[in-house]
Amino acid sequence: LLIVASAGCSSPDEQAPFTQEIEGIDFTMEMMPVRSPAGTLWISRTEIPWDLYDIFLNFINSPENMHAGVDAVSGPTPAYASVDRGYGRSGYPAISMSAQAAESFCLWLSSRTNRNYSIPTLEQWEFANTGGGGAWHQWNSEKTTHLVATKAPNTLGIFDMRGNVGEWVITKDGPRVIGGSFRTPAEELGSTSLL
């Protein structure tokens, strides 16, 4: 899951990266600027790791936080098995979430940061998917996910745009996962790679 902060975010410099602190949590995210015809948007420098997504899950699933505004319909259901599928937790990209759970995460993050975070649209993802960068794919991944930011970033400084794990995007036909994963052949990675 890569996330975007909308154009118009308060940033000291419209073309500079910024570090997002999260209220009440000892975790920061680097947000990278991406220019588009609609203006500048910022996208997370790495996929959202379990380190942050687990904090969200613990908050949402805690009985003390029923006032959190997420109900049984919109919130993620507590897992009955290991949602990381044995691939790894600390530093690894969060996987196995529905589009609805990803949207709930973005709402939670927005409430903790006073910025508007969302799943990127397909167009936003394509603007951020510039040339260069390495990717974990079928031929080099050894059939497993890898720690975020372990291959070279693309020319915008964003890691894992393609490969490692698929990315949720919003299209005119609804949410879908693109980009390819560690199971996708290298030549098929990109916006047309559906998972």
Side-chain angles (χ1 to χ4, degrees):
L1 173 66
L2 290 165
I3 58 170
V4 296
S6 301
C9 262
S10 57
S11 174
D13 179 349
E14 290 286 313
Q15 303 306 316
F18 71 87
T19 301
Q20 178 64 69
E21 295 182 2
I22 304 166
E23 179 185 326
I25 298 171
D26 186 23
F27 189 91
T28 59
M29 296 184 314
E30 293 296 317
M31 301 298 294
M32 304 304 289
V34 176
R35 292 187 208 177
S36 76
T40 301
L41 60 102
W42 287 263
I43 192 162
S44 52
R45 187 169 192 203
T46 67
E47 295 160 319
I48 299 300
W50 280 112
D51 310 65
L52 178 57
Y53 196 75
D54 278 337
I55 294 169
F56 161 68
L57 289 178
N58 289 334
F59 176 80
I60 293 303
N61 293 322
S62 169
E64 299 88 48
N65 292 313
M66 295 310 290
H67 67 279
V70 178
D71 58 28
V73 174
S74 62
T77 303
Y80 296 103
S82 177
V83 291
D84 68 5
R85 300 182 186 178
Y87 292 129
R89 217 50 178 208
S90 183
Y92 285 81
I95 60 172
S96 303
M97 74 187 74
S98 67
Q100 195 168 18
E103 289 171 348
S104 293
F105 170 80
C106 291
L107 288 172
W108 172 80
L109 185 62
S110 297
S111 73
R112 291 293 185 117
T113 60
N114 294 317
R115 283 199 169 95
N116 185 27
Y117 283 98
S118 63
I119 298 170
T121 65
L122 176 59
E123 293 77 20
Q124 289 170 330
W125 186 90
E126 287 176 333
F127 283 116
N129 184 30
T130 62
W136 292 110
H137 49 75
Q138 183 178 16
W139 315 127
N140 69 0
S141 68
E142 298 180 4
K143 301 180 181 178
T144 188
T145 64
H146 291 268
L147 294 166
V148 299
T150 53
K151 285 287 188 182
N154 69 13
T155 56
L156 294 176
I158 304 166
F159 293 91
D160 299 318
M161 285 294 300
R162 295 168 284 115
N164 206 15
V165 300
E167 307 301 339
W168 279 113
V169 295
I170 303 300
T171 72
K172 61 182 171 69
D173 298 321
R176 76 176 205 198
V177 177
I178 63 167
S181 75
F182 67 96
R183 293 180 175 149
T184 307
E187 59 276 12
E188 294 178 18
L189 297 175
S191 61
T192 59
S193 178
L194 298 175
L195 297 179

